[in-house]
Amino acid sequence: MQQYEAGNYDVIVIGAGHAGCEAGLASARVGASTLMITINLDMVAFMPCNPSVGGPAKGIVVREIDALGGQMAKNIDKTYIQMRMLNTGKGPAVRALRAQADKNEYQHEMKRTLEEEQNLTLIQGMVEELIVEDGVCKGVITKTGAIYRSKTVVITTGTFLRGEIIIGELKYSSGPNNQQPSIKLSEHLEQLGFELVRFKTGTPPRVNGKTIDYSKTEIQPGDEEPRAFSYETTKFITDQLPCWLTYTNEHTHRLIDQNLHRSPMYSGMIKGTGPRYCPSIEDKVVRFNDKPRHQIFLEPEGRNTKEVYVQGLSTSLPEDVQHDLVRTVAGLEKAEIMRPGYAIEYDAIVPTQLWPTLETKVVKNLYTAGQINGTSGYEEAAGQGIMAGINAGLNALGKESLVLSRSEAYIGVLIDDLITKGTNEPYRLLTSRAEYRLLLRHDNADLRLTEIGHKIGLIGEERYQAFLAKKEAIEAEKERLRSTILKPSDKNVQELIRNIGGSELKDGIRASDLLKRPEMTYELLETVASPETPLDVELKEQVEIQIKYEGYIDKSLQQVERLKKMEDKKIPENIDYDAISGLATEAKQKLKLIRPLSLAQASRISGVNPADISILLVYLEHGRIAKIANE
C-alpha cells in the first residue's frame, strides 16, 4: 500500500462513539487542532445497546460532563422521547435522571455538532497502526496508507477491537451492529507491549411495535415536570412517549433451561467475561433460579421507527430459540423480531496500564478512553472521553493536565477505580463505589465542576457569570434563613407546623433549623419566611439540601480533608520498591505494577495493606527529611 502524508494536528481521536465524541470536542474546545477518524461516519454516537442515557450514578456522570463543558447532556436534552427522575423517594445522594433517546436523532444531532465545531475535522477511515518513535506516539496510519501526524493520540475504539458477534452456534468477525471490526490495530497494540483482555457484552432482540399487545403490559410514562441533564437547557420536550413494563414467566424460564446446551455462554463458545450487572436472560435464569419472573421493559427506539428494545431480555441464544422466547412474554405473544439479540466479544486493555490522566504508561502521548479501558455503558465512556480529550489537548498545547479526585466527581471515582484496581469484568459505575456519594449528587454537579471547566476553557464567560450568580444567591438565602428567627407567638408558623404533624415551637427558632426537621420543606417554609425575591426551583432545591444535610456534608468534607493529606504525599515515579525493607512481597509486586502517584492511591491498591502503607510513609518521610537536611 502506497503511503502518503495526509496532515498534521495537535490531537488525533480514533473512534467516534460516546467516548470519541467527547474526546474530540473537548480537545478542540481547549484550543487544540483535532482530527477524528471513524470507521463509518453513519455510526457517529451510535447506540448499539439500550436507547437511553442516565440512570443511577450514570446520570450524575452526564451532569458532570455538562458541568465541565461536554456535550452528552445537551445532546440528549434535544433528542429524548422520555425523561424520568429515579429514586425520588430516597435521599439526594442516589437520585438520578434517566432519558429514553430517539436513537437516530441522537446520532444526527451529535454528528452535526462535531461537523460545526471549530478546530475539529471529522473523517471516515480505518486506523491500523500508530506511529511510535522512541516510546512516544506521534500519529497514525490508516488502511488506505494515509499518514496523519500529531502531538497526542486518543484511542476510543469501543467494542470494535477484534470484535466477534455470536448468535447461538454462529460466530463471525464484526463490530457492533454488523459493522467492520478493527483487527490490525488490536494486533499492533499487542506488538507495542500492551496487555489485552477479552470481554463480552450483549443486546436483546428488537421487536416490531405494531405486533405488541400493550394491553397486557403496564405503562411507564415520563415525568410531567420539565427536566433536563444540561444546566443550559431552557427548552423542554413535552410530547413524551411511554415505555411499558412486562415480565418473564415459568414458560420463559423452562424454554431457556431446555435450550441451555445451545447457548454459547454455556457451550464454551464465548470466552470473554461478561458484565456482572447487566447479565443475559440465560444467566439470570440460571443464577436466580428461585425467582419466578424477571422485569422486561419495552423501550421505543425513536419517534420515526417501530423498533422496540426489549430491555431485560439480552441473549445470544440461537435465532430460532429467540423467536419462541420472546413470545412467552406477556404482551409479546405475537411479537415479530426485527433484529435478533447477540453477544459481542472484543479486546480491551488492562486499565492499570494507564496514568490518572488516561495517558498510557506503555507509550507516551497516547491516551485511551471508553470500553477499550474495560468499562460498560455510554456514560462511563463519555466521562472518560472528555477527560482523555482534555488531557490530550492540554498536553499538545504544553499545559498542565487535569485529574479529578474521588471527592470531586463520579468521573474521578471511575478513573481511579480503573487505573488503581483494574477490572476483571466490564466495569459499571454504581453509587456504592463512591465513598463520598453525598458530596457527588445529581443536583450539585455544576457547583463541583463549573469552576474547573471554566479554568481549562470549556465553559464560556456568560455561563460562568451565571454560575457565580447562582452560587451567590444560594449562599445569600442560606444566610437569610440562618438569621431569620421564627417566634412561638407567630400563629402562621405554629399552624404550619401543626398541619405537617410537627412539634409546636416553645422558643424562637432559626428558619434554617426549622428547615432541618424531616417533615419541613423549603416550599412550606417560604410560606412563613419568604425571601424578597422568589427563588427558582434549582436554587430552592440546593438551599434545602445543603441545610438539611449540613451535618452529614460537613462530616464528609472532614473525611476528604484527612484523605487530602495522603493525596498530597507524592510518590516519586523512580522509587525503588525493592529497596524498601519490610514491604510484603505482594505489595511490592502491585506497587511496581500500578506505580501509584500518591500515598492515597497506593492505599487503594488491592493487596497493599495498612502495614505496607505505614512502612511506605516512613520511607517517604525519611527521604523528605534527608533531602531538607542536605539542602
Side-chain angles (χ1 to χ4, degrees):
M1 175 65 64
Q2 180 70 40
Q3 294 184 348
Y4 69 99
E5 294 288 338
N8 285 273
Y9 297 85
D10 291 324
V11 180
I12 294 174
V13 177
I14 304 170
H18 304 284
C21 289
E22 295 296 343
L25 289 168
S27 64
R29 288 169 179 172
V30 298
S33 62
T34 304
L35 173 68
M36 285 183 68
I37 308 176
T38 181
I39 291 174
N40 185 348
L41 282 173
D42 296 328
M43 301 295 285
V44 168
F46 179 66
M47 294 180 165
C49 200
N50 55 313
S52 67
V53 168
K58 293 166 173 278
I60 301 173
V61 168
V62 180
R63 292 277 271 186
E64 291 175 350
I65 291 167
D66 184 69
L68 287 169
Q71 199 62 31
M72 179 175 263
K74 293 181 180 66
N75 209 63
I76 188 63
D77 284 352
K78 292 177 182 177
T79 59
Y80 69 86
I81 59 176
Q82 185 192 107
M83 188 85 79
R84 293 180 73 184
M85 181 67 80
L86 307 180
N87 299 328
T88 52
K90 298 180 181 179
V94 293
R95 290 175 201 157
L97 205 53
R98 185 176 190 270
Q100 292 296 137
D102 185 311
K103 191 171 173 174
N104 292 326
E105 283 303 308
Y106 185 93
Q107 281 184 262
H108 295 153
E109 180 62 26
M110 187 65 86
K111 184 167 182 276
R112 184 192 64 76
T113 302
L114 295 172
E115 290 170 343
E116 292 181 355
E117 186 66 38
Q118 289 186 348
N119 261 355
L120 182 63
T121 302
L122 177 65
I123 66 168
Q124 183 166 294
M126 170 84 77
V127 173
E128 294 193 332
E129 191 177 333
L130 304 174
I131 301 169
V132 178
E133 299 172 4
D134 298 322
V136 180
C137 190
K138 296 189 175 181
V140 304
I141 304 172
T142 70
K143 189 174 186 176
T144 55
I147 298 171
Y148 295 96
R149 301 191 185 274
S150 64
K151 296 174 183 174
T152 58
V153 172
V154 186
I155 304 178
T156 66
T157 45
T159 59
F160 280 80
L161 290 183
R162 279 197 290 227
E164 290 183 306
I165 281 180
I166 305 161
I167 306 173
E169 297 87 4
L170 174 67
K171 184 175 189 176
Y172 57 95
S173 180
S174 175
N177 204 46
N178 289 324
Q179 293 298 302
Q180 283 187 76
S182 177
I183 308 296
K184 289 193 175 178
L185 181 58
S186 196
E187 294 170 352
H188 181 60
L189 290 173
E190 283 183 321
Q191 290 164 7
L192 289 171
F194 283 95
E195 183 184 352
L196 304 183
V197 289
R198 197 79 174 149
F199 279 168
K200 164 256 172 188
T201 188
T203 72
R206 274 70 159 180
V207 301
N208 190 326
K210 290 191 302 184
T211 62
I212 296 173
D213 182 354
Y214 290 108
S215 68
K216 295 182 179 179
T217 66
E218 302 169 33
I219 192 168
Q220 305 285 300
D223 290 348
E224 290 184 13
E225 183 182 337
R227 300 192 187 278
F229 277 101
S230 175
Y231 287 94
E232 292 191 286
T233 295
T234 54
K235 292 181 180 178
F236 301 92
I237 295 169
T238 54
D239 56 330
Q240 300 187 63
L241 301 182
C243 294
W244 307 83
L245 173 64
T246 183
Y247 297 89
T248 62
N249 52 58
E250 61 181 33
H251 301 297
T252 315
H253 300 184
R254 189 183 310 122
L255 182 66
I256 289 169
D257 284 334
Q258 290 169 350
N259 287 278
L260 276 180
H261 64 287
R262 298 185 66 196
S263 166
M265 281 192 63
Y266 294 93
S267 68
M269 184 177 285
I270 289 179
K271 306 295 184 186
T273 306
R276 178 191 303 263
Y277 299 103
C278 190
S280 67
I281 189 63
E282 303 98 282
D283 207 16
K284 282 193 276 192
V285 168
V286 171
R287 283 166 54 192
F288 309 108
N289 56 19
D290 57 321
K291 292 197 177 231
R293 64 180 191 173
H294 295 282
Q295 286 185 330
I296 302 293
F297 288 96
L298 305 176
E299 302 175 346
E301 295 217 324
R303 297 182 188 278
N304 299 308
T305 178
K306 290 296 180 185
E307 285 190 73
V308 174
Y309 184 87
V310 188
Q311 173 77 274
L313 210 67
S314 179
T315 183
S316 55
L317 282 163
E319 197 170 313
D320 60 304
V321 178
Q322 290 190 36
H323 284 285
D324 294 336
L325 179 68
V326 163
R327 293 183 173 184
T328 63
V329 177
L332 303 181
E333 293 88 351
K334 296 181 180 179
E336 295 174 1
I337 291 179
M338 296 178 74
R339 303 183 201 228
Y342 63 85
I344 183 167
E345 285 190 332
Y346 56 95
D347 286 344
I349 72 163
V350 174
T352 52
Q353 298 168 103
L354 304 174
W355 296 115
T357 57
L358 294 180
E359 183 182 16
T360 73
K361 297 173 182 176
V362 179
V363 177
K364 193 172 174 56
N365 293 351
L366 176 65
Y367 297 76
T368 57
Q371 281 184 273
I372 188 176
N373 289 345
T375 57
S376 66
Y378 311 142
E379 304 83 0
E380 287 93 335
Q384 294 170 72
I386 192 171
M387 296 307 296
I390 287 168
N391 284 320
L394 293 174
N395 182 355
L397 298 173
K399 297 181 179 179
E400 188 179 345
S401 58
L402 172 67
V403 173
L404 298 177
S405 71
R406 297 180 70 90
S407 59
E408 286 179 306
Y410 268 100
I411 295 173
V413 173
L414 162 67
I415 293 173
D416 184 67
D417 277 355
L418 290 173
I419 67 166
T420 305
K421 301 174 184 175
T423 183
N424 54 13
E425 62 190 27
Y427 176 101
R428 179 180 178 179
L429 197 56
L430 306 166
T431 54
S432 58
R433 296 192 192 274
E435 57 270 53
Y436 306 115
R437 64 182 185 177
L438 186 55
L439 301 179
L440 310 180
R441 307 185 307 274
H442 165 89
D443 62 86
N444 72 347
D446 60 335
L447 299 176
R448 292 185 274 120
L449 299 173
T450 303
E451 194 87 44
I452 296 170
H454 178 255
K455 184 180 177 183
I456 60 176
L458 295 188
I459 297 290
E461 195 59 33
E462 185 179 344
R463 178 173 176 180
Y464 183 60
Q465 291 303 321
F467 160 74
L468 291 179
K470 175 182 176 179
K471 253 179 98 172
E472 189 178 326
I474 292 166
E475 291 306 314
E477 179 60 4
K478 284 163 61 181
E479 187 53 41
R480 185 188 74 84
L481 292 177
R482 289 190 191 107
S483 59
T484 300
I485 305 297
L486 302 174
K487 299 177 181 178
S489 57
D490 189 327
K491 292 180 181 178
N492 291 333
V493 173
Q494 297 288 37
E495 185 181 358
L496 170 64
I497 294 171
R498 276 197 304 273
N499 288 342
I500 59 176
S503 304
E504 290 190 20
L505 300 182
K506 294 180 181 177
D507 299 300
I509 188 173
R510 289 188 179 91
S512 57
D513 289 337
L514 185 59
L515 182 54
K516 288 180 180 178
R517 291 189 178 188
E519 67 274 8
M520 185 60 68
T521 66
Y522 180 90
E523 291 201 336
L524 287 169
L525 182 64
E526 70 177 339
T527 62
V528 294
S530 61
E532 287 184 15
T533 305
L535 275 61
D536 66 29
V537 174
E538 270 196 13
L539 289 176
K540 289 178 183 179
E541 177 188 48
Q542 205 50 239
V543 169
E544 180 171 332
I545 289 172
Q546 288 191 27
I547 288 178
K548 269 190 181 295
Y549 294 90
E550 188 174 33
Y552 298 106
I553 291 171
D554 286 346
K555 193 174 286 187
S556 291
L557 290 171
Q558 288 167 16
Q559 291 173 344
V560 170
E561 280 304 308
R562 284 197 293 271
L563 182 69
K564 192 173 182 299
K565 293 175 183 176
M566 288 183 71
E567 294 284 5
D568 289 341
K569 292 193 184 298
K570 302 300 181 186
I571 300 175
E573 276 190 46
N574 60 350
I575 190 171
D576 182 2
Y577 290 107
D578 289 324
I580 306 175
S581 60
L583 281 180
T585 302
E586 184 184 3
K588 285 182 181 179
Q589 291 171 347
K590 293 291 182 69
L591 288 165
K592 285 191 284 186
L593 175 68
I594 307 297
R595 291 152 69 191
L597 299 179
S598 70
L599 203 63
Q601 187 187 357
S603 71
R604 294 190 290 269
I605 298 173
S606 173
V608 178
N609 297 314
D612 301 310
I613 295 299
S614 297
I615 292 166
L616 191 54
L617 176 60
V618 170
Y619 179 87
L620 292 173
E621 289 288 352
H622 277 295
R624 185 175 63 82
I625 292 166
K627 184 180 177 184
I628 292 169
N630 290 333
E631 289 173 354

